[in-house]
Amino acid sequence: MKIKMKRFLIVLCLILTALIVFGLTRTEETVPEYVFSYAENQEADYPTTLAGQYFADLVEQKTNGRIKILIQHSGERGNESQVIQQLKYGGVDFARISISELTNEMKALTVLQLPYLYESSEHMWKILDGEIGDYFLDVVSEYDMVGLSWYDAGARSFYTKDKPIKKLEDISGLKIRVQESNMMASMVEYLGGEPVKEPYSEVYSLLEKSEVDGAENNWPSYETMQHYEVAGYYTLDEHIRIPELQICSKHTWEKLSKEDQQIILACAKESAVYQRELWKEQEMKSQELAVSAGTEVVELSLVEKVKFKTAVEPLYERYCGEYMELIQQIRQIKKD
Ligand code: GCU
């Protein structure tokens, strides 16, 4: 009897200890110290969204659940210019943004998205992963925001509704949707078109209603937003590469300890490596899907490509005149 009682008490103690330990750790894990928002204007399964989720999971894991980041995708927090406004006062804590939308204010960033600046994706990554990329992350910090890491958005090309762009003159007079960026609007003007600044979410309907004749974007955006259904000619002019940025509101950033800031930065960088892998796969997949759905791909001749390049060359001086030395350096790096 005595032995049975002793056993019973031991088992009871073990159960109570397990309940206490489990209870304590559970409370620690399930009640985060911070719950942050993260704005993303792409759909749930787009490479930037998946990498954003990867970032959020890493942060949660590395802080033992103290910091939770909720990904609000598909433009739930508004279009990019609205998100930028909210980032300024901490209405949105984190976001993934195309830098185009930041350049009206952060003029220096325009350098990184000048048309035909990079010779290839590898060239762009050499710049962004190096000192120049870090320099521009610091530029962002001057504007109530903290730049965390660069994401890939490939090369953008023009696509049209009624007739293909086969040569420079074909753009003449065409209404082309552009991002809300002065430089992007000027670019279309220099190429002979008429820019229409509208948010990303509006492009499908603008094309469908023939309020624009065309737009320009990378393969994944063209395909996942179903633009190919309403603009079936995709001209491979690859006129621009626009890096994307993972960004944090300075208001949010300053709430965090130095240690947490370091964790977030490291997780952002890790997610960027993952995003680049996803991007490469998605670029190919989207091109294949669009082509199999009937998109006609137009290759530009070398002569025409030179004409495109020459037409946009004045943008360098007009928007980035004070950075010509840096631009020279960027162009030089590809030759190393
Ligand atoms: C890309 C980019 C978006 C951006 C869009 C645009 O798809 O990833 O962030 O909004 O271009 O053309 O506006």
Side-chain angles (χ1 to χ4, degrees), residues 124-143:
M124 181 183 80
W125 283 112
K126 220 166 167 183
I127 304 301
L128 296 178
D129 286 338
E131 276 174 25
I132 299 180
D134 289 346
Y135 165 79
F136 283 105
L137 287 181
D138 287 345
V139 165
V140 176
S141 312
E142 291 161 25
Y143 296 84

Side-chain angles (χ1 to χ4, degrees), residues 18 26 41 46-47 64 74 101 115 121 128 143 160 168 214 217 231 238 244 262 332:
R26 258 188 78 78
N41 74 347
Y46 196 85
N64 296 319
S74 311
E101 302 274 344
S121 170
L128 296 178
Y143 296 84
T160 41
L168 181 61
N217 219 319
E238 301 195 323
E244 309 203 327
Q262 285 316 310
Q332 227 18 70

Side-chain angles (χ1 to χ4, degrees), residues 40-42 46 48 80 96-101 152-153 156 159 177-180 198-201 203 216-218 220-222 225 227 242 244 279:
E40 165 63 65
N41 74 347
Q42 302 286 6
Y46 196 85
T48 53
E80 288 188 319
R96 191 282 312 159
I97 299 276
S98 164
I99 66 163
S100 232
E101 302 274 344
D152 203 351
R156 295 169 76 108
Y159 44 92
R177 177 271 169 176
V178 291
Q179 291 173 286
E180 292 170 79
E198 286 287 349
Y200 185 48
S201 53
V203 182
E216 49 85 53
N217 219 319
N218 49 48
S221 302
Y222 174 70
M225 295 296 275
H227 294 172
I242 305 181
E244 309 203 327
W279 183 261

Side-chain angles (χ1 to χ4, degrees), residues 303-318:
V303 175
E304 282 307 317
K305 224 168 187 174
V306 171
K307 281 199 207 159
F308 272 60
K309 278 189 189 171
T310 315
V312 296
E313 194 65 33
L315 287 168
Y316 280 60
E317 193 57 59
R318 172 161 169 198

Side-chain angles (χ1 to χ4, degrees), residues 51-199:
Q53 187 58 57
Y54 184 81
F55 162 67
D57 292 344
L58 275 178
V59 171
E60 187 167 354
Q61 187 193 322
K62 298 253 156 80
T63 61
N64 296 319
R66 278 188 306 102
I67 303 182
K68 206 170 167 56
I69 299 173
L70 302 175
I71 309 295
Q72 297 180 294
H73 56 80
S74 311
E76 193 183 326
R77 297 306 299 263
N79 62 45
E80 288 188 319
S81 61
Q82 291 164 334
V83 167
I84 291 166
Q85 293 315 313
Q86 296 178 76
L87 279 167
K88 286 187 188 163
Y89 64 87
V92 163
D93 299 299
F94 291 88
R96 191 282 312 159
I97 299 276
S98 164
I99 66 163
S100 232
E101 302 274 344
L102 294 166
T103 52
N104 289 346
E105 209 169 325
M106 306 180 192
K107 297 202 170 14
L109 275 189
T110 314
V111 170
L112 293 181
Q113 65 166 79
L114 284 164
Y116 298 109
L117 174 69
Y118 310 108
E119 219 163 56
S120 59
S121 170
E122 292 70 36
H123 179 210
M124 181 183 80
W125 283 112
K126 220 166 167 183
I127 304 301
L128 296 178
D129 286 338
E131 276 174 25
I132 299 180
D134 289 346
Y135 165 79
F136 283 105
L137 287 181
D138 287 345
V139 165
V140 176
S141 312
E142 291 161 25
Y143 296 84
D144 293 325
M145 292 175 213
V146 178
L148 304 176
S149 79
W150 304 107
Y151 271 18
D152 203 351
R156 295 169 76 108
S157 290
F158 288 103
Y159 44 92
T160 41
K161 191 178 158 92
D162 299 324
K163 53 182 175 79
I165 297 172
K166 292 187 173 163
K167 49 187 191 318
L168 181 61
E169 293 78 60
D170 293 336
I171 303 184
S172 181
L174 292 187
K175 281 195 183 144
I176 307 279
R177 177 271 169 176
V178 291
Q179 291 173 286
E180 292 170 79
S181 144
N182 298 336
M183 194 280 275
M184 293 298 277
S186 303
M187 177 188 75
V188 165
E189 278 166 3
Y190 284 128
L191 292 167
E194 213 182 289
V196 178
K197 281 190 199 161
E198 286 287 349

